[in-house]
Structures are given as C-alpha cells and as structure tokens.
Amino acid sequence: MCGIIGAVGRGDATLDTLLAGLSNLEYRGYDSAGLAVSGEELSVAKRSGELEVLEDALEGQSLSGNAGIGHTRWSTHGAPTDANAHPHTDCTDSVAVVHNGIIENYQSLRDELAAAGHEFKSETDTEVVPHLIESLLADGASPGTAFRQAVDRVEGSYAIAAVFAGSDTVFAARNDSPLVLGVGDDATYLGSDVPAFLEFTDRVVYLEDGEVAELSPAGWTVTTLAGDPVEKEIRTVDWESEDTGKSGYDHYMLKEIHEQPRALRQCLQERVNELAGTVDLGDAVNETLRGVDDVQLVACGTSYHAALYAAELFRSQGVRAQAFVASEYVTSPAPHGENTLVIGITQSGETADTLSALRDAQRRGVETLAVTNVVGSTAARECDGVLYIRSGPEIGVAATKTFSAQVVAANLVAAVMANGDTSHEFVSALRDLPGQVQTVLEETNAEAVADRFVDADAYFFIGRGYDYPVAMEGALKMKEITYKHAEGFPAGELKHGPLALVTGNTPVFAVVTGETGSEKTVGNVKEVEARNAPVVAVTDGRTDVERYADEVLEVPETDPRLAPVLANVQLQLVSYHVAKQLGRSIDKPRNLAKSVTVE
C-alpha cells in the first residue's frame, strides 16, 4: 500500500535521496507521488500518475533543505489527482504531512477545523493533520508538541510524518501501520518499509504503536506520545541492496520466481538434520508447537492459500486444523481449547486483517505464532513466537517465492508438532526440493503453453488435496497480473456449477500430483475433455492424465507433500508469460498493493 520515505542530514542530496526512496517503494502499489523539502520555506511537489511524472515536473528545479519527506499514494479518500496526492499542507504552507492508513474521525475533525476558518484543498482524510498542527502552532505550541497533540487527536490506523518550514527535523508516529528508521553514519532515514532506504543503510529501528520519532542532524530519538523517552534497539537487516534490484531480469516477478531454489535453501538451512531425520526450529518455536491439539490458521490472499495447504497437511497428521480468511476470523472467531495455537501467515508481517485476527486471538488468551518473511515486522514482534521463512526481499506485488517458502515452512512446523521426528526419506525430499525447482525452471515449457492460450476467454484451475490450494493460487496469479478472469476450486466441485462456464476457449489447468485422489481428478479432466475444453495437466506422471491433456507441464516426482511446490512454479511461469504477451504491468498490477495495511 502507500509508501513513506524521509531523510535528514543529506544536505544537497536530500531531493535525490527522496526520489530514490520513492523509486524503491514503487512495488507497494500507488497512483500518485509527492515530496516536501524543508529549508527556510517548504518546497512541495506532487503529481498523480507514475513517479516519472513527478520527476518530469521537478526537472530543472532545485529544492534545497536538509530534511524531507516523500510519499507514494494508493487512493482511499478521493480520486488519484494532483490535489489529493501527498504531502498535504496547512493554510500557511508552514507544515507538510504524509500519511499511510485511514483516519476514522477525519470528518468530525474537518468540520471543526472548517468552522474555525481552515480551507481544505483535497478530498483526503490526511489533510486534517496539517491543519490540526497549524491550529496548535497558533496557540503557541512548539513543532514537536503540536505534532504530538495533533496525532493524539487522530483515531484510526496511521503512519504519519511531518516537516516544518525553517526546520531540519522530521517528526513521525505510527499506529497499526508500519514505520521504521534507518540509522546511517551521517544521516537518518524514515520508511514504511526497509527497502525505501536500504541502499543507504542496513541499520534499522522499528517503531511500535504509540511511539513518536524525531529525526534531526544531531541524531534521532523515540518517545511516547506524552514525550517520555523510549529505549530502542538498532538491528541490522540481513539484506543486500542488490537483493532489491532486478539483476538483469525483465521484471521483479520473474527474478523472484527464479530465486525460489535459493529461498527454499535458506528456509531449510540449519533446521533439518538429514542424518538424524529430525527438524529443529529453535527452542522457542519448538516449545510453542509441542502439545498443540488444535491449529487455527489466519491469512489473506496468497498466504491464505498457504494456510489452506498447511491445514490439509496438519489434518493428515492427526492435528485438528482450520484455515480462515483473516478478515472473516475477526468477525466470527472459532472456538478454542487449552491447547489451541493460532498461526498467522503473512509475508510482510504487516497485513492489517491478519494482525487484527492475531490480536483478537491474544485477547482471548490463545497462543499465537507468526510465519513471516520480514524480521522485526509487527507480527513478528507481537506474536508469542515467530518462524521466519527467510525468502529475502520480495518486490513484485504478486507473491511467488514467499508462497513456496511458506509451504515448506508448514512442513517444518508439522514435523516439530510430531516431536521433530520425520522419515529420512522425507528429509531427503526436502533437501532435493530446491534442485528440483531449478530443474522445472530450466526445462519448463510454460511459455509455449502461454502462447497457445493467451487469447482464452477465461482460465480454470482444479486440484484435490494438497493440489487444491495450488489451483487456487494459480488462479490468483493469473487474475492478478493478466487482468483476465480465472477461477480455482476443488476438482470435485467442477460439476456443481463451474462446468456451465467451460467452453472450447476456456482452458482448464488440472494439478494432478501424488496418488491420493488423483484418479478422481483424472475423471474430472475427462468431463472437461468431453465438452471440448482444452486441458493443461500439471503432473508428476503418477497417473495417466497426460492421455487426456492438450498440453502437459511436467514436474519431478517427489514426496506428495512437496509436489505442489513444483506444480506451483509451473503455474507462476504460465501466468507471467501470458501477462507479458498481453503487455501488462507485471510488477505493479492495477489497483493492487504489495502490503495491505488497512482493513
């Protein structure tokens, strides 16, 4: 969702630093961009559209100042226009503010401020903040005090940053929306995500809800809203700035698809002992998982499909397990017993719906575990335990390598719940999985399949058991980046309605791996074939589904629990090549954002 960048101490390089940060945040999804630099006066520039539109508007301009903030906006209140873009200023152009999240009481604040004579130029909820600050400054408050008092009146989710004319200080605060400081040798940075400033520093400080940061040339401080000092730990992020580049690939998504072998090796590293046939996730996580009788998984989007897979896996091992769309779990939480564990699966660790579900569980006294990719994220800090999937930065909006790592992580969790013991054969299969993914990447015919079906009216994806979540994920990838209609469902449901939509121009992707239930899926494929719909079989060759398929996407034979990872890679590649041929914005699909931080 929306992105924030801030910098203090960069001198003449402030403008370039902010533009670099905005470029680094483009992956989050946005429809306008802007920035403000504070010198003797405030210099503000903002435009709807891509970042290059803002850069063109700044061509030839020199915005001087030692402090600045920038923003990429994903519209909520008001259309994507120049006026609605951030930063927003007060009536006197003395303060500029950027904001992620939603201010729930903005209308009452706006009415109050308008009655006092303040004039508003946008439709946004954010604009009330600079006007609140302006009114407090007029009453004699200092910039820092005015910022704190204004934030204290705001209700809702927010990450807010502000700069003032004549000041080289940036003030920032958060509540239910991520914000992190970057600590450099001669400068301090602010971001909604680490990649915003990773090229400048890898030393970070994570803000918690209710905390206020003050960045100045002298350094940085963190306090409560009341002004009480807060001790913060500086952490080092184990990412290289090169990790967030394309490394010669046409798109981040393609790069991240090809990074899956490395991501899986990192997920497995030092956790699996092939000689002993054991899995060890560390004392803290091991203790959280042992003795669990009932698992409730909460997640959204791609992570929800990983949760569906995990629930199927846990049930196969005798553990009661259910997967919930996180937003629905909050509405109607499932009953829990003494040995219930709620697992939140979230790539970013900042997904608003998932955080709400986890917090609801904690309020009811249920233990929680975060399965996430981002060290120091809100989910990682707030849950009772955390298991990192170690995929490295994922920039493309459409998740790829993180889904594969989440599936592998689910298998590690299942092994620990079984007291860490598993078969040597399964541990060997885990060890071989990254190499098998590499084989798929090298030998795939996904591009040819995409060529054949790029003009299809719609796409259907079916599977059973472990293959069902992969069918769901394949459909999601197709619709996310191609903008074409796609549906995924259990293969057995095909004849309970969806078959009415099947035509000669609606290819059906049948995920058929392992042996359990596969013959029944082959039967569903025959139903499709009888209605002249083309069939693409994604298979490990354990059935004769190839006989009834128009195209085959092969995957190496492995343990049935791991075959879905390989099948999913093939479907990722098909979606990618269809989207590329259609000329879609693959890394930044329309209307979508990488990290959804509002409910």
Side-chain angles (χ1 to χ4, degrees):
M1 192 155 287
C2 309
I4 289 175
I5 178 67
V8 175
R10 293 287 291 168
D12 293 339
T14 299
L15 176 59
D16 290 339
T17 301
L18 296 177
L19 288 172
L22 292 176
S23 177
N24 294 337
L25 289 169
E26 284 192 288
Y27 72 94
R28 292 174 68 92
Y30 72 106
D31 48 42
S32 59
L35 53 82
V37 175
S38 176
E40 291 185 9
E41 298 179 347
L42 280 181
S43 299
V44 177
K46 53 184 185 175
R47 292 291 187 275
S48 62
E50 299 286 313
L51 179 59
E52 61 186 27
V53 179
L54 175 65
E55 292 173 328
D56 289 343
L58 289 167
E59 190 70 34
Q61 294 189 43
S62 177
L63 276 64
S64 60
N66 200 31
I69 53 176
H71 191 266
T72 53
R73 176 179 185 249
W74 194 71
S75 297
T76 54
H77 292 69
T81 64
D82 290 355
N84 288 332
H86 296 212
H88 291 285
T89 57
D90 64 320
C91 295
T92 64
D93 291 330
S94 297
V95 56
V97 168
V98 295
H99 161 236
N100 291 352
I102 294 177
I103 298 174
E104 295 172 356
N105 62 333
Y106 88 98
Q107 192 61 61
S108 61
L109 291 173
R110 184 171 179 136
D111 292 344
E112 172 190 325
L113 290 161
H118 291 263
E119 296 183 3
F120 290 83
K121 301 175 182 177
S122 78
E123 303 167 84
T124 68
D125 54 340
T126 303
E127 196 181 358
V128 299
V129 179
H131 288 282
L132 271 176
I133 294 173
E134 176 191 6
S135 66
L136 293 162
L137 290 172
D139 290 338
S142 67
T145 299
F147 178 80
R148 285 183 174 83
Q149 291 179 350
V151 169
D152 195 37
R153 293 201 60 192
V154 169
E155 298 173 5
S157 64
Y158 57 77
I160 297 174
V163 289
F164 294 79
S167 169
D168 51 8
T169 300
V170 171
F171 296 92
R174 68 154 282 175
N175 183 63
D176 288 340
S177 192
L179 210 51
V180 58
L181 308 185
V183 181
D185 293 334
D186 302 310
T188 309
Y189 306 89
L190 177 73
S192 49
D193 203 353
V194 172
F197 53 72
L198 188 57
E199 64 191 89
F200 304 109
T201 183
D202 61 358
R203 300 167 65 222
V204 303
V205 175
Y206 294 98
L207 294 186
E208 303 286 353
D209 288 350
E211 292 181 345
V212 177
E214 186 173 327
L215 288 60
S216 72
W220 57 274
T221 60
V222 176
T223 65
T224 64
L225 272 175
D228 299 323
V230 178
E231 292 293 327
K232 302 295 292 184
E233 176 187 0
I234 298 178
R235 306 185 186 189
T236 300
V237 177
D238 189 23
W239 292 351
E240 300 292 336
S241 60
E242 298 82 46
D243 291 341
T244 61
K246 293 181 184 175
S247 302
Y249 289 92
D250 289 342
H251 299 92
Y252 285 113
M253 182 181 178
L254 185 61
K255 171 184 177 251
E256 287 154 9
I257 289 172
H258 281 265
E259 285 177 341
Q260 287 176 110
R262 183 177 72 173
L264 296 183
R265 290 189 184 98
Q266 290 171 171
C267 185
L268 294 169
Q269 188 175 11
E270 297 180 353
R271 291 170 168 170
V272 175
N273 185 324
E274 185 176 358
L275 188 62
T278 59
V279 173
D280 185 351
L281 298 178
D283 292 343
V285 176
N286 291 346
E287 187 62 30
T288 299
L289 293 173
R290 287 185 180 129
V292 171
D293 296 326
D294 184 17
V295 176
Q296 298 171 2
L297 298 120
V298 293
C300 304
T302 287
S303 294
Y304 173 66
H305 299 152
L308 284 173
Y309 169 90
E312 176 80 12
L313 178 67
F314 298 161
R315 288 193 296 268
S316 74
Q317 299 194 172
V319 177
R320 292 191 299 274
Q322 291 176 278
F324 297 86
V325 174
S327 57
E328 292 299 309
Y329 183 85
V330 174
T331 303
S332 182
H336 63 87
E338 183 178 347
N339 296 318
T340 297
L341 176 68
V342 173
I343 300 178
I345 303 181
T346 161
Q347 186 283 134
S348 67
E350 305 292 351
T351 309
D353 291 327
T354 305
L355 289 174
S356 292
L358 290 167
R359 289 164 180 164
D360 179 79
Q362 289 178 320
R363 282 192 295 269
R364 294 184 292 121
V366 185
E367 196 162 15
T368 57
L369 174 73
V371 177
T372 185
N373 191 39
V374 181
V375 176
S377 59
T378 301
R381 298 195 306 275
E382 291 188 0
C383 284
D384 299 302
V386 57
L387 175 62
Y388 292 111
I389 64 172
R390 302 173 177 170
S391 291
E394 187 174 67
I395 304 302
V397 167
T400 51
K401 63 178 178 176
T402 53
F403 175 80
S404 296
Q406 287 168 346
V407 167
V408 169
N411 279 278
L412 300 182
V413 167
V416 172
M417 285 195 292
N419 296 316
D421 296 322
T422 187
S423 69
H424 291 276
E425 291 78 12
F426 183 64
V427 172
S428 295
L430 281 171
R431 178 204 62 192
D432 294 341
L433 185 62
Q436 290 178 318
V437 171
Q438 188 63 48
T439 297
V440 171
L441 293 170
E442 292 172 355
E443 299 180 0
T444 182
N445 57 320
E447 187 171 4
V449 172
D451 286 343
R452 179 169 178 179
F453 298 116
V454 66
D455 294 323
D457 295 331
Y459 303 86
F460 297 100
F461 298 77
I462 60 173
R464 290 174 186 263
Y466 297 130
D467 293 335
Y468 159 51
V470 172
M472 295 284 287
E473 176 62 10
L476 179 61
K477 285 294 152 289
M478 185 66 78
K479 68 183 74 173
E480 277 182 316
I481 63 171
T482 71
Y483 312 157
K484 300 192 77 169
H485 180 72
E487 285 189 46
F489 38 81
E493 285 295 292
L494 188 66
K495 55 186 172 293
H496 295 288
L499 205 56
L501 301 176
V502 169
T503 71
N505 201 32
T506 57
V508 177
F509 289 77
V511 186
V512 189
T513 67
E515 296 174 349
T516 303
S518 292
E519 290 301 331
K520 291 185 178 180
T521 305
V522 173
N524 300 131
V525 167
K526 294 177 182 177
E527 292 175 330
V528 169
E529 183 192 40
R531 288 156 179 82
N532 298 317
V535 174
V536 180
V538 188
T539 181
D540 55 7
R542 295 194 183 194
T543 65
D544 62 350
V545 68
E546 298 97 331
R547 293 177 53 188
Y548 311 103
D550 299 88
E551 297 282 354
V552 177
L553 293 165
E554 297 180 352
V555 300
E557 188 172 326
T558 184
D559 188 283
R561 289 167 285 185
L562 302 179
V565 173
L566 302 171
N568 187 61
V569 174
Q570 291 281 27
L571 296 181
Q572 290 171 349
L573 288 165
V574 171
S575 294
Y576 172 81
H577 287 297
V578 170
K580 186 176 180 181
Q581 290 191 44
L582 293 172
R584 305 305 193 212
S585 178
I586 291 174
D587 288 329
K588 295 177 286 182
R590 69 186 182 198
N591 303 329
L592 299 180
K594 182 64 177 174
S595 180
V596 182
T597 56
V598 295
E599 295 182 69

